[in-house]
Amino acid sequence: MSSTALRRTALDALHRSLGATMTDFAGWDMPLRYGSERDEHLAVRTKAGLFDLSHMGEITVTGPQAAQLLNHALVGNIASVGVGRARYTMICQADGGILDDLIVYRLAETEYMVVANASNAQIVLDALTERAAGFDAAVRDDRDAYALLAVQGPQSPGILRRLTDADLDGLKYYAGLPGTVAGVPALIARTGYTGEDGFELFVKPEHAVALWEALTEAGAGVGLIPCGLSCRDTLRLEAGMPLYGHELTTSLTPFDAGLGRVVKFEKEGDFVGREALTEAAARAEASPPRVLVGLIAEGRRVPRAGYAVVAGGEVIGEVTSGAPSPTLGKPIAMAYVDAAHAAAGTPGVGVDIRGTHEPYEVVALPFYKRQK
């Protein structure tokens, strides 16, 4: 065990006053749940939930060649992202293995914000700093400059409208604009990790408590409740969204993960991993790698990451994430399985749960899609 003290967000005292169950997550002391995980999950699906995501890693890239640096360092075409828009992308090793999945916001003509997963923030910062050599651009660690609050769920636009005059109707999915929320300057982004409509609000840490309290008050009449990391995990699982360390690892390329679409070979210039990813793309086309699928339990036993997926007495894959689904009312899982068993409805597929082969239905992802 490391003796390093856990990092605390600007909302730490507030979480404790709300009776949150806290947990160590990537070196941060974070709220796992406040009450019932199921209630928090269903609030986001039907009303709204409020999350503290201040553990995420913000890295600012600025300068005349910021776009060229990001195009070189990441697999996406970042130069083509318009000011005020965001893009989902990945940073890979030279061998094509995924270091992290990221969201990149273009804040201004020569200013970008890269948001990394908490567990990989230092790795991404180090890689971007190293890859910046030779570019007229600067990489800055801004993890301490931001608190991040998220309001997610069908009631979230109405809640935010009570607190801002920003043009929320004009704010598209994967876009962000500067504005004021409850008198607090914020970057308002229409992004999230729940499968619902919602917003992520980047603010200075000293403004986090005031903003949380204002959002809580604005949402009180429509069912907004505070939500922890536990329901965030079941929400993203139902929405078929990958989690680094589970569906994405350094031993997988984006093509192995079924996310080859994020790799933009047509962009100008070389980028880290291009050669290896070109080969990975050709391999994936010639003989499909294992495919990420959804599994829905016929029984009640919950599959966990690392459990074997079986068919006809043979191991055909591995579970990457599993949990009870509050929306479906059954245990669900994501798993990589051999292509021969990846089609929805493939018969005879099960999960080895402590020596018993429990029957599972193979389904296409996601398990849940919100009604537009």
Side-chain angles (χ1 to χ4, degrees), residues 90-275:
M90 293 182 184
I91 182 166
C92 290
Q93 300 177 149
D95 67 2
I98 302 165
L99 278 174
D100 201 13
D101 62 335
L102 313 163
I103 296 180
V104 180
Y105 298 87
R106 189 171 194 168
L107 304 181
E109 196 57 40
T110 60
E111 183 180 3
Y112 296 81
M113 181 168 66
V114 177
V115 181
N117 285 296
S119 54
N120 293 329
Q122 189 64 47
I123 291 165
V124 174
L125 178 67
D126 292 345
L128 286 175
T129 304
E130 187 184 312
R131 294 174 190 189
F135 289 93
D136 187 2
V139 175
R140 185 173 74 233
D141 179 1
D142 269 348
R143 283 176 287 180
D144 292 336
Y146 291 101
L148 175 56
L149 280 65
V151 191
Q152 299 280 305
Q155 295 287 349
S156 54
I159 292 167
L160 214 52
R161 264 190 210 101
R162 297 187 186 105
L163 300 173
T164 184
D165 55 8
D167 178 17
L168 299 183
D169 290 334
L171 187 64
K172 295 183 172 70
Y173 187 50
Y174 267 74
L177 85 174
T180 303
V181 183
V184 169
L187 171 68
I188 305 167
R190 201 162 206 153
T191 44
Y193 194 50
T194 62
E196 297 299 336
D197 191 11
F199 302 88
E200 296 185 322
L201 308 170
F202 295 86
V203 299
K204 288 183 175 173
E206 58 264 33
H207 294 148
V209 170
L211 182 56
W212 179 284
E213 289 174 343
L215 288 163
T216 299
E217 196 176 323
V222 291
L224 173 92
I225 61 170
C227 293
L229 293 182
S230 186
C231 82
R232 192 166 181 253
D233 190 47
T234 52
L235 289 159
R236 71 91 196 165
L237 177 54
E238 287 183 352
M241 295 175 166
L243 174 63
Y244 195 87
H246 289 255
E247 288 72 42
L248 310 174
T249 67
T250 50
S251 62
L252 296 171
T253 73
F255 294 94
D256 297 321
L259 291 165
R261 60 184 160 76
V262 305
V263 182
K264 304 299 181 190
F265 292 115
E266 70 279 8
K267 65 179 174 177
E268 279 183 35
D270 196 17
F271 63 91
V272 177
R274 179 192 274 274
E275 193 179 327

Side-chain angles (χ1 to χ4, degrees), residues 5-76:
L6 293 179
R7 298 182 69 179
R8 295 184 170 192
T9 77
L11 293 160
D12 183 77
L14 195 147
H15 297 317
R16 292 169 196 280
S17 75
L18 292 171
T21 299
M22 306 296 285
T23 188
D24 174 358
F25 186 83
W28 290 81
D29 208 9
M30 296 297 293
L32 187 64
R33 72 183 79 81
Y34 299 85
S36 149
E37 289 164 17
R38 186 173 181 277
D39 289 350
E40 291 172 25
H41 180 110
L42 294 174
V44 176
R45 285 276 176 259
T46 60
K47 294 165 187 168
L50 178 57
F51 296 84
D52 177 11
L53 305 179
S54 302
H55 61 313
M56 299 296 281
E58 296 87 4
I59 301 160
T60 303
V61 180
T62 55
Q65 291 190 308
Q68 291 96 314
L69 161 59
L70 289 169
N71 263 14
H72 165 70
L74 312 179
V75 300

Side-chain angles (χ1 to χ4, degrees), residues 279-339:
E279 291 170 11
R283 266 199 318 274
E285 206 165 320
S287 73
R290 282 184 164 177
V291 180
L292 189 64
V293 300
L295 298 173
I296 300 179
E298 291 181 21
R300 309 303 307 167
R301 297 182 76 185
V302 179
R304 298 297 180 193
Y307 285 10
V309 182
V310 292
E314 300 289 317
V315 174
I316 57 148
E318 186 176 304
V319 171
T320 53
S321 297
S325 163
T327 305
L328 276 64
K330 297 176 178 177
I332 59 172
M334 286 201 274
Y336 283 111
V337 302
D338 295 343

